[in-house]
Amino acid sequence: MQTHLTVVLSKTAFFAALSTPLAWLVWQIAIEIEAPTTALGADPGEAIVHFLGVWALRFLLLAFAISPIQKLMQQPVVGRLRRMAGLYAFAYALLHLAAYLFFFLEFEWEALLEDFVKRTFITVGLVALICLTPLAVTSTLGWQRRLRRNWKRVHLLVYPAIAFALIHLYWLTRDGFAEVVLYSVFFLFLVGFRWVKR
Ligand code: HEM
């Protein structure tokens, strides 16, 4: 049986797990400030953008995997963690965008507009982020009640959000496609699982 304590403990453990990559990154940045190029390599800005992008995608896939896991485990507490994983994915994606603006463009807004229009992988990343935004905004119980059956429809946006994030990664990968293939196979497996269960 699921007690209040189980829920609190699971949520706390999950919160700590999802915060760990960010804490690790902050630690690496602190080392980098003390001793340049020791923690984040020759181009720390690029390393930070990459790190945040990868974790945004991983947490998005994790949020997507939670419903099937919940169905297999028959534990309602698992479902409660989905919102946290989704919100973390969104937060990492926003930090990823902020890091790109800071390190790659030095907040040159004209260059940003040009990138959005001319560099296809950036346009696709933006579309993924746009798909994620209503998911994050309407993730609360209040929005769930207000939107009723439409809430599920809005949350179908998770499919294009992941698909565009994968295309974004695929387009910017120059060599070593193993990672993007692995994430894509995992995503397709989850889509298949959900479809069969439905
Ligand atoms: C406005 C939105 C976005 C912008 C401007 C953007 C920009 C970038 C840039 C500049 C890079 C590095 C490219 C390079 O080094 O050549 C990158 C990499 C990446 N981005 Fe994004 N991105 C956006 C949204 C997203 C979203 C929503 C996700 C995932 C949910 C994501 C996941 C990734 C991943 C996984 C990488 C590759 C990291 C690696 O090489 O290991 N991005 N993005």
Side-chain angles (χ1 to χ4, degrees):
M1 209 186 75
Q2 187 184 309
T3 61
H4 178 65
L5 185 67
T6 322
V7 175
V8 173
L9 285 178
S10 320
K11 278 189 162 184
T12 312
F14 205 56
F15 172 80
L18 296 176
S19 306
T20 303
L22 194 59
W24 186 84
L25 182 63
V26 171
W27 184 40
Q28 298 304 305
I29 293 172
I31 298 176
E32 192 66 38
I33 292 169
E34 284 290 312
T37 71
T38 51
L40 292 168
D43 190 342
E46 196 177 300
I48 293 170
V49 171
H50 282 224
F51 183 88
L52 291 165
V54 169
W55 282 100
L57 180 60
R58 287 180 185 163
F59 287 154
L60 194 55
L61 286 168
L62 175 67
F64 192 66
I66 284 180
S67 292
I69 294 173
Q70 185 189 7
K71 285 202 176 100
L72 287 177
M73 290 176 65
Q74 305 278 323
Q75 289 286 336
V77 66
V78 178
R80 293 181 184 218
L81 306 177
R82 186 177 55 180
R83 179 170 166 247
M84 206 192 285
L87 284 175
Y88 262 86
F90 185 62
Y92 277 80
L94 284 182
L95 288 172
H96 172 64
L97 171 63
Y100 153 77
L101 278 172
F102 181 71
F103 293 110
F104 285 35
L105 302 185
E106 291 167 357
F107 290 108
E108 269 193 44
W109 302 104
E110 267 178 40
L112 175 70
L113 279 182
E114 209 176 296
D115 266 7
F116 278 158
V117 177
K118 289 195 182 149
R119 298 177 76 190
T120 333
F121 87 88
I122 299 270
T123 320
V124 173
L126 176 68
V127 175
L129 195 63
I130 291 172
C131 291
L132 281 178
T133 308
L135 299 182
V137 172
T138 63
S139 67
T140 59
L141 214 61
W143 271 105
Q144 209 164 339
R145 287 199 193 108
R146 227 169 290 159
L147 291 172
R148 293 183 195 176
R149 286 167 70 197
N150 285 329
W151 190 84
K152 282 205 163 176
R153 286 193 193 128
V154 171
H155 281 250
L156 289 177
L157 277 172
V158 69
Y159 289 86
I162 299 177
F164 284 121
L166 288 171
I167 296 171
H168 173 66
L169 177 58
Y170 175 77
W171 248 327
L172 66 87
T173 305
R174 282 160 219 117
D175 48 36
F177 283 85
E179 195 178 3
V180 65
V181 169
L182 189 75
Y183 294 141
S184 307
V185 169
F186 184 59
F187 175 54
L188 290 176
F189 168 76
L190 291 174
V191 171
F193 184 91
R194 280 166 171 243
W195 189 71
V196 168
K197 280 283 168 191
R198 198 166 289 165

